[in-house]
Amino acid sequence: MRIRRKLYEIIFEADSPKGKAFDIALLLIILASIILVMLESVPDINLKYGHTLHILEWAITLIFSIEYIMRVAVVQRPWRYVFSFYGIIDLLSVLPTYLSLVLVGSHSLMVIRAIRLLRVFRILKLSRYTQAGNTLGKALWTSREKIFVFLFFVINLVIIVGTLMYLIEGPEHGFRSIPSSIYWAIVTMTTVGYGDISPETPAGQLMASFVMIVGYAIIAVPTGIVTSEMIRGSRNNNTQVCSHCLHDQHDNDAVYCKKCGSRLNEDH
Amino acid sequence: MRIRRKLYEIIFEADSPKGKAFDIALLLIILASIILVMLESVPDINLKYGHTLHILEWAITLIFSIEYIMRVAVVQRPWRYVFSFYGIIDLLSVLPTYLSLVLVGSHSLMVIRAIRLLRVFRILKLSRYTQAGNTLGKALWTSREKIFVFLFFVINLVIIVGTLMYLIEGPEHGFRSIPSSIYWAIVTMTTVGYGDISPETPAGQLMASFVMIVGYAIIAVPTGIVTSEMIRGSRNNNTQVCSHCLHDQHDNDAVYCKKCGSRLNEDH
Amino acid sequence: MRIRRKLYEIIFEADSPKGKAFDIALLLIILASIILVMLESVPDINLKYGHTLHILEWAITLIFSIEYIMRVAVVQRPWRYVFSFYGIIDLLSVLPTYLSLVLVGSHSLMVIRAIRLLRVFRILKLSRYTQAGNTLGKALWTSREKIFVFLFFVINLVIIVGTLMYLIEGPEHGFRSIPSSIYWAIVTMTTVGYGDISPETPAGQLMASFVMIVGYAIIAVPTGIVTSEMIRGSRNNNTQVCSHCLHDQHDNDAVYCKKCGSRLNEDH
Amino acid sequence: MRIRRKLYEIIFEADSPKGKAFDIALLLIILASIILVMLESVPDINLKYGHTLHILEWAITLIFSIEYIMRVAVVQRPWRYVFSFYGIIDLLSVLPTYLSLVLVGSHSLMVIRAIRLLRVFRILKLSRYTQAGNTLGKALWTSREKIFVFLFFVINLVIIVGTLMYLIEGPEHGFRSIPSSIYWAIVTMTTVGYGDISPETPAGQLMASFVMIVGYAIIAVPTGIVTSEMIRGSRNNNTQVCSHCLHDQHDNDAVYCKKCGSRLNEDH
């Protein structure tokens, strides 16, 4: 039982020297396995070193499988870990290699291991990065309705513009169908602009110019949404709590509670 | 008369279970009809299933026609509905299919039905999304003069840059005419960059570099305009002044002055 | 002498009905002349209607020449007008056509007439647009040092990245010389991405990926600069002047002058 | 010894007329040498004037070498200068030409001299530009954790999206390997969009559309981060509190409390 406790500390915590060493080793193996998949997909390298890479891939998958089993074994509530975010990612990181025995090519999916690198924040000063992540997430979450309305508007615009361009340019200029015209509209509106499809008639170029200027202008909208949320979020970081009515959202320059009028006691 | 009242509730309101069911059914049919038009424009699919899709399109158009007539029939003031935003969109969604009997190809215009999807916000918690939309719209509306001045500046710049590039590069490098050079200037300034036209002479590339850096810099302007409007909009618009210490920047939910603790007197 | 006074009102002012009509007519002729130059540059149109367009161009130029002479004639201080911003633009709008008698092709430069359209703001409610323009200009001017530092950094980065790419990819992959590699770096950093030159070696693609992510990130910098200036600018719009020490930059919530302590008298 | 003192003033300071002249001359030579390297890389020019450019390059390198030796000679603490930022850049600006005797082509690296242009800020009003640079740097530094979290998220997304596109499109549509698919994902996400690789299958175009819209939206995140930091930085960092009414948001130039008119007591 003491061994289990010890293993738990090494595997799940990053405070002790051994736990930290375990986490760093794990990160290095994850990185190695991602580079492995990438190299394997390069034709020249696969031709030359394919066999070696294949063996290494299985070796790493075995290490991860053992690690996964150990995590389940040493944790207090195994099911809770299995269905936690990290538990699911850990399992998904192992599956593709086994799956490749049945389904050829599916082993590439093991790049999902990249998400396991999230553990890097545990070794670094966790709390500050988590807080930074939370601030970003909160700003996005608070503005979800505005983002939803904005996306709805963009999707509608893209559908209508795509259809109009299909009618204006037509299949003979590369706008083969409405879906591919909508694809063009998205490529243009987001200012990506591959150039694989581009308008050739004067009317089409006029329409495209309009779409571009609109796209250029409305990029300001999501930026405005997120920025104003972030500024709002960074303003109210006051942690004072009124000792009388327990209200806790005070401005930084508050001296009295705005809800009940009693003096806030930070000065004590 | 009671049937009319009942139908009104089902068709125009989304609070009752039946009304909600009606709205959800409507949204699904709208989505289906948009996907229909898209599929029909894909050559392979049209060749195979063209006939079936054609029948389905007419079926949906008939449904929408009946729905439109019913809306006009059950509403208290028909003309007001007919000339309302939704009334016009509802009519425009039906017309293209009938128009296609006379004008070949015009039925694609029925993607305007996408706008009918706006009704989705009625099923969701309407008010919050409407408010989000209003905040966005208000921010854009308040900054309309700045946006107008900005657009004027951009259009001028694009005309002058386009003409200069026409003189520098000329028709032999793809800059066939001033309008198409202006099209190039817009493609470049908005950072879309198709690459269908691109400068080839050193002088043209220098000019293009200048345009790109300017375009890169001035994207900051619309963003700045919209963001500062949004922040101003989201700030407190409370006009209460504390009668005791004259502090006047209170939050909207303040009951007591946060500076001196005396009661704010709006409730009087 | 009274005729001169009258003509001055018509030509230079936009308040009286006649003055307004004059300005609107002028704007329409300017627009027509710009469209004229554009049409003339389109090969097909030039072939067909070249002669007509040529005559129209000279007609408009004559009108503008007469207008320019009249402006000089009726204004109180002719030289001041000639060397004012509008005076120079008015002259430059006329010159290219005459210049084309000597220098073939130079008549395209008359698109500079587009700047004359600035007069449109005189017909619209002038002051509000001027103010909007001033706010934008002031925000850019206040942040000129930050923008200069930023541009210096970008230009340095682009020179170094361009040279490195020239060494990595070399002339055999389209990076023909250092200047054209710097051109590529600008195309990439500003996210324009024509694709006329693009890296082909793995090392070049890695370098390009790095440049793109940096370019993607640093677009935040000019946006941040301009936005924060605009917010600062939109905050201090207080027009109170201290009657005692004449200090005039007070915050909106100021009750006493922060410079001399005497009460501000807006409440009187 | 007095000569050394004098030389120090001329070389290291920019206040005296001689020092200023020295700095301006230096800047012009640096600019000339950068233009030199660029010209040398252009095949046509190199063929014609290669020999002259080669001699000029060595001449400038000799001037810089002498300048470097003089800097080391006249400064009080030579080692401190040698290992300072400017000292290292000064040395690196000279090395590539000598290195080119051993390693062909390496002389292009002397564009690193561009960094020496930083000295331009010493001639201009140094402090204001340094401050502008500091403000920018501080805003980026304060938000380093958020930027790190953001970059981590982007890199993960790009790896997973790249792999999925490799599986969807495959080598037959230009997505030759996972690394080059990741390169495509970066090109798309950052809205650069060369078009050298672009999706051709419907599934790939759908995936690409999703990536573009996400890329379009998340550009708002770094902008939001930097902008909110800049605004926070530009806000008043004055910590004075009025001893009479306890108001604590005074401008930096305030002498009297703007709320109650009593004198602020920092001067005591």
Side-chain angles (χ1 to χ4, degrees):
Chain A
M1 213 53 196
R2 268 192 50 214
I3 292 169
R4 198 183 150 190
R5 173 94 216 121
K6 197 108 189 199
L7 278 171
Y8 177 84
E9 264 169 33
I10 292 171
I11 297 176
F12 279 91
E13 281 164 23
D15 301 328
S16 63
K18 276 182 187 166
K20 202 165 180 177
F22 177 84
D23 270 6
I24 289 171
L26 195 63
L27 285 174
L28 291 178
I29 299 174
I30 294 170
L31 270 176
S33 81
I34 293 168
I35 291 164
L36 215 68
V37 191
M38 289 187 187
L39 289 179
E40 216 170 340
S41 76
V42 181
D44 293 356
I45 293 171
N46 197 19
L47 217 75
K48 261 194 183 158
Y49 310 103
H51 195 64
T52 322
L53 293 174
H54 200 66
I55 290 167
L56 279 173
E57 190 188 316
W58 273 102
I60 289 177
T61 302
L62 278 180
I63 294 171
F64 283 171
S65 305
I66 293 164
E67 184 223 335
Y68 182 73
I69 291 163
M70 271 172 65
R71 278 185 190 270
V72 174
V74 302
V75 89
Q76 287 281 7
R77 305 201 213 153
W79 289 114
R80 209 171 148 183
Y81 162 69
V82 168
F83 292 110
S84 73
F85 174 74
Y86 279 116
I88 290 164
I89 294 296
D90 290 353
L91 186 60
L92 286 176
S93 307
V94 172
L95 284 186
T97 320
Y98 294 111
L99 200 69
S100 73
L101 292 175
V102 191
L103 209 70
V104 174
S106 61
H107 77 120
S108 299
L109 288 172
M110 95 200 193
V111 288
I112 211 171
R113 283 173 189 170
I115 301 176
R116 295 197 76 191
L117 292 173
L118 267 176
R119 289 205 160 81
V120 81
F121 293 112
R122 218 167 51 184
I123 301 173
L124 301 168
K125 283 224 175 56
L126 178 69
S127 61
R128 303 184 60 186
Y129 288 94
T130 310
Q131 205 191 325
N134 281 350
T135 310
L136 290 181
K138 212 173 132 190
L140 290 173
W141 179 248
T142 324
S143 46
R144 69 190 177 284
E145 279 144 23
K146 282 188 202 121
I147 289 172
F148 189 82
V149 169
F150 173 72
L151 276 182
F152 183 85
F153 173 76
V154 165
I155 288 167
N156 256 297
L157 193 61
V158 151
I159 289 174
I160 290 167
V161 161
T163 308
L164 285 176
M165 279 305 273
Y166 172 71
L167 294 175
I168 293 171
E169 292 273 329
E172 62 273 23
H173 295 114
F175 292 75
R176 280 170 301 161
S177 62
I178 294 182
S180 71
S181 297
I182 291 173
Y183 163 72
W184 169 87
I186 293 172
V187 168
T188 300
M189 183 85 86
T190 58
T191 78
V192 171
Y194 286 132
D196 49 351
I197 312 173
S198 65
E200 289 166 33
T201 64
Q205 295 187 342
L206 196 69
M207 183 80 199
S209 301
F210 169 76
V211 175
M212 282 174 230
I213 288 177
V214 167
Y216 190 57
I218 64 176
I219 205 174
V221 175
T223 308
I225 294 170
V226 173
T227 306
S228 69
E229 277 315 322
M230 277 188 180
I231 289 165
R232 201 209 298 256
S234 76
R235 221 179 270 158
N236 286 329
N237 49 359
N238 192 300
T239 55
Q240 285 179 297
V241 179
C242 172
S243 58
H244 189 251
C245 75
L246 298 177
H247 183 77
D248 59 355
Q249 293 200 314
H250 299 289
D251 295 329
N252 287 326
D253 62 346
V255 181
Y256 289 88
C257 173
K258 68 183 176 183
K259 281 296 181 193
C260 69
S262 50
R263 197 178 178 85
L264 295 169
N265 41 2
E266 199 178 45
D267 345 49
H268 294 294
Chain B
M1 213 52 198
R2 269 192 50 213
I3 292 169
R4 199 184 149 191
R5 172 94 215 121
K6 195 108 191 201
L7 278 170
Y8 177 84
E9 264 169 31
I10 292 171
I11 298 176
F12 277 91
E13 280 164 24
D15 301 327
S16 62
K18 275 182 186 165
K20 203 166 180 175
F22 178 85
D23 270 7
I24 290 171
L26 195 63
L27 286 173
L28 291 177
I29 299 174
I30 294 169
L31 270 176
S33 82
I34 293 167
I35 291 165
L36 214 70
V37 191
M38 289 187 187
L39 290 179
E40 217 170 339
S41 77
V42 181
D44 293 356
I45 293 172
N46 196 20
L47 217 75
K48 262 194 184 158
Y49 309 104
H51 195 65
T52 322
L53 294 174
H54 200 67
I55 290 168
L56 278 173
E57 190 189 317
W58 274 102
I60 290 178
T61 302
L62 279 180
I63 294 172
F64 284 170
S65 305
I66 293 165
E67 184 221 335
Y68 183 73
I69 292 163
M70 272 170 67
R71 279 186 190 270
V72 174
V74 302
V75 88
Q76 287 282 7
R77 306 200 211 153
W79 289 114
R80 211 172 148 182
Y81 162 70
V82 168
F83 291 110
S84 72
F85 175 73
Y86 280 115
I88 290 165
I89 294 297
D90 289 354
L91 185 61
L92 286 177
S93 307
V94 172
L95 286 185
T97 319
Y98 294 112
L99 199 70
S100 73
L101 292 175
V102 189
L103 208 71
V104 174
S106 61
H107 76 120
S108 299
L109 288 172
M110 94 200 194
V111 288
I112 210 172
R113 283 173 189 170
I115 301 175
R116 294 197 77 191
L117 291 173
L118 267 176
R119 289 204 160 80
V120 81
F121 294 112
R122 218 166 51 185
I123 300 174
L124 301 168
K125 283 225 174 56
L126 177 70
S127 61
R128 303 184 61 186
Y129 288 94
T130 310
Q131 204 191 325
N134 281 351
T135 310
L136 289 181
K138 211 174 132 191
L140 290 173
W141 179 247
T142 323
S143 46
R144 69 191 177 286
E145 279 145 23
K146 283 190 202 118
I147 289 172
F148 190 82
V149 170
F150 173 72
L151 276 182
F152 183 86
F153 173 76
V154 166
I155 288 166
N156 256 297
L157 194 60
V158 151
I159 289 175
I160 290 166
V161 162
T163 308
L164 285 176
M165 280 305 273
Y166 173 71
L167 294 174
I168 293 171
E169 292 273 330
E172 62 273 22
H173 295 115
F175 291 75
R176 280 169 302 161
S177 61
I178 293 181
S180 72
S181 296
I182 291 173
Y183 164 71
W184 168 86
I186 293 172
V187 168
T188 301
M189 183 86 85
T190 58
T191 78
V192 171
Y194 286 133
D196 50 350
I197 311 172
S198 65
E200 288 166 33
T201 63
Q205 295 187 340
L206 196 69
M207 184 80 198
S209 300
F210 169 76
V211 174
M212 282 175 231
I213 288 178
V214 167
Y216 190 57
I218 65 176
I219 205 173
V221 175
T223 308
I225 294 169
V226 174
T227 306
S228 69
E229 277 315 321
M230 277 188 181
I231 289 165
R232 201 210 296 256
S234 76
R235 228 180 263 158
N236 282 327
N237 43 5
N238 191 302
T239 55
Q240 284 178 298
V241 179
C242 172
S243 59
H244 188 251
C245 75
L246 297 177
H247 184 78
D248 58 357
Q249 292 200 316
H250 299 289
D251 295 330
N252 287 326
D253 61 348
V255 181
Y256 289 88
C257 173
K258 68 182 177 183
K259 282 297 183 193
C260 70
S262 49
R263 196 176 180 87
L264 295 169
N265 42 359
E266 199 176 44
D267 346 51
H268 295 292
Chain C
M1 213 51 198
R2 269 193 49 215
I3 293 169
R4 199 184 149 190
R5 173 94 216 121
K6 197 109 189 202
L7 278 170
Y8 177 84
E9 264 168 33
I10 292 171
I11 297 176
F12 279 92
E13 280 164 24
D15 301 327
S16 63
K18 276 183 187 165
K20 203 167 182 176
F22 178 84
D23 270 6
I24 289 171
L26 195 64
L27 286 173
L28 291 178
I29 299 175
I30 295 169
L31 270 175
S33 82
I34 293 166
I35 291 164
L36 214 68
V37 191
M38 288 187 188
L39 289 179
E40 216 171 340
S41 77
V42 181
D44 293 356
I45 293 172
N46 196 20
L47 217 75
K48 261 194 185 159
Y49 309 104
H51 195 65
T52 322
L53 293 174
H54 200 67
I55 291 167
L56 279 173
E57 190 188 316
W58 273 103
I60 289 178
T61 302
L62 278 180
I63 294 172
F64 284 169
S65 305
I66 293 165
E67 184 222 334
Y68 182 73
I69 291 163
M70 272 171 66
R71 278 185 191 269
V72 175
V74 302
V75 88
Q76 288 281 7
R77 306 199 209 154
W79 289 114
R80 210 172 149 181
Y81 161 70
V82 168
F83 291 110
S84 72
F85 174 73
Y86 279 116
I88 291 164
I89 294 296
D90 289 353
L91 185 62
L92 286 177
S93 307
V94 171
L95 286 186
T97 319
Y98 294 110
L99 200 70
S100 73
L101 293 174
V102 189
L103 209 71
V104 174
S106 60
H107 76 119
S108 299
L109 288 172
M110 91 200 196
V111 288
I112 211 171
R113 284 173 188 171
I115 301 175
R116 295 197 78 192
L117 292 173
L118 266 176
R119 289 206 160 79
V120 82
F121 294 112
R122 218 168 49 185
I123 301 173
L124 300 168
K125 284 226 172 57
L126 176 70
S127 61
R128 302 183 61 187
Y129 289 93
T130 310
Q131 204 191 326
N134 281 350
T135 310
L136 290 181
K138 211 174 134 191
L140 290 172
W141 179 248
T142 324
S143 46
R144 70 191 176 285
E145 279 144 23
K146 283 191 201 117
I147 289 171
F148 190 82
V149 169
F150 173 72
L151 277 182
F152 183 86
F153 173 76
V154 166
I155 288 168
N156 256 297
L157 194 60
V158 150
I159 290 174
I160 290 167
V161 161
T163 308
L164 284 176
M165 280 305 272
Y166 173 71
L167 294 174
I168 293 171
E169 292 273 328
E172 62 272 23
H173 295 114
F175 292 75
R176 281 170 302 162
S177 61
I178 292 181
S180 72
S181 296
I182 290 173
Y183 163 72
W184 169 86
I186 293 172
V187 169
T188 301
M189 183 86 85
T190 58
T191 79
V192 171
Y194 286 132
D196 50 351
I197 312 172
S198 64
E200 289 165 34
T201 63
Q205 294 188 342
L206 195 69
M207 184 79 198
S209 301
F210 169 76
V211 174
M212 283 175 231
I213 289 178
V214 167
Y216 191 57
I218 64 176
I219 205 173
V221 175
T223 308
I225 293 169
V226 174
T227 306
S228 70
E229 277 316 320
M230 277 187 181
I231 289 166
R232 200 210 298 255
S234 77
R235 223 179 269 158
N236 286 329
N237 49 358
N238 192 300
T239 56
Q240 285 179 298
V241 179
C242 172
S243 58
H244 188 251
C245 75
L246 298 177
H247 184 77
D248 58 356
Q249 293 199 314
H250 299 288
D251 295 330
N252 288 326
D253 62 347
V255 180
Y256 289 89
C257 173
K258 68 182 178 184
K259 282 296 183 196
C260 70
S262 50
R263 197 178 179 86
L264 296 169
N265 41 1
E266 199 176 45
D267 346 52
H268 294 293
Chain D
M1 214 52 196
R2 269 193 49 213
I3 293 169
R4 199 182 149 191
R5 173 92 216 123
K6 198 110 190 198
L7 278 170
Y8 177 84
E9 263 168 32
I10 292 171
I11 298 176
F12 279 91
E13 280 164 23
D15 301 327
S16 63
K18 276 184 186 163
K20 204 165 179 177
F22 178 84
D23 269 7
I24 289 171
L26 194 63
L27 286 174
L28 291 177
I29 299 174
I30 294 169
L31 270 176
S33 81
I34 292 167
I35 291 165
L36 214 70
V37 190
M38 289 187 188
L39 290 179
E40 217 170 340
S41 76
V42 180
D44 293 356
I45 293 171
N46 196 19
L47 217 73
K48 261 194 186 160
Y49 310 103
H51 195 65
T52 321
L53 293 175
H54 200 66
I55 291 167
L56 278 173
E57 190 188 318
W58 274 102
I60 290 178
T61 303
L62 279 179
I63 294 172
F64 284 170
S65 305
I66 293 164
E67 183 222 334
Y68 183 72
I69 292 163
M70 272 171 66
R71 279 186 189 271
V72 175
V74 301
V75 88
Q76 287 281 7
R77 305 199 212 155
W79 289 113
R80 209 171 150 182
Y81 163 69
V82 168
F83 291 111
S84 72
F85 174 73
Y86 280 116
I88 290 164
I89 294 295
D90 289 354
L91 185 60
L92 286 177
S93 308
V94 172
L95 284 186
T97 319
Y98 294 111
L99 201 69
S100 73
L101 292 175
V102 190
L103 209 70
V104 174
S106 61
H107 76 120
S108 299
L109 288 172
M110 93 201 194
V111 288
I112 211 169
R113 283 174 188 169
I115 301 176
R116 294 196 78 191
L117 291 173
L118 267 176
R119 289 205 160 80
V120 82
F121 294 113
R122 219 168 48 185
I123 301 174
L124 301 168
K125 284 226 171 57
L126 176 71
S127 61
R128 302 184 62 187
Y129 289 94
T130 310
Q131 204 191 326
N134 281 351
T135 310
L136 290 181
K138 210 173 133 192
L140 290 173
W141 178 248
T142 323
S143 46
R144 68 190 178 286
E145 280 144 23
K146 282 190 201 118
I147 289 172
F148 190 81
V149 169
F150 173 72
L151 276 182
F152 182 85
F153 173 75
V154 166
I155 288 167
N156 256 296
L157 194 60
V158 151
I159 290 175
I160 290 166
V161 162
T163 308
L164 284 176
M165 281 304 273
Y166 173 71
L167 293 175
I168 293 171
E169 293 273 329
E172 62 273 23
H173 295 115
F175 292 76
R176 280 171 302 162
S177 61
I178 293 182
S180 72
S181 296
I182 291 173
Y183 164 72
W184 168 87
I186 293 172
V187 168
T188 301
M189 182 86 86
T190 58
T191 79
V192 171
Y194 287 132
D196 50 350
I197 312 173
S198 65
E200 289 165 34
T201 63
Q205 295 188 341
L206 195 69
M207 184 80 198
S209 300
F210 169 76
V211 174
M212 283 174 230
I213 289 177
V214 167
Y216 191 57
I218 64 176
I219 205 172
V221 175
T223 307
I225 294 169
V226 174
T227 306
S228 69
E229 277 314 322
M230 277 188 181
I231 289 166
R232 202 209 297 256
S234 76
R235 229 179 264 157
N236 281 327
N237 43 6
N238 191 302
T239 55
Q240 285 179 298
V241 180
C242 173
S243 58
H244 189 251
C245 76
L246 297 177
H247 184 78
D248 57 357
Q249 292 199 315
H250 300 289
D251 295 329
N252 287 326
D253 61 348
V255 180
Y256 290 87
C257 172
K258 68 182 176 184
K259 282 298 182 191
C260 70
S262 49
R263 196 176 179 87
L264 295 169
N265 42 1
E266 200 178 44
D267 343 50
H268 295 293

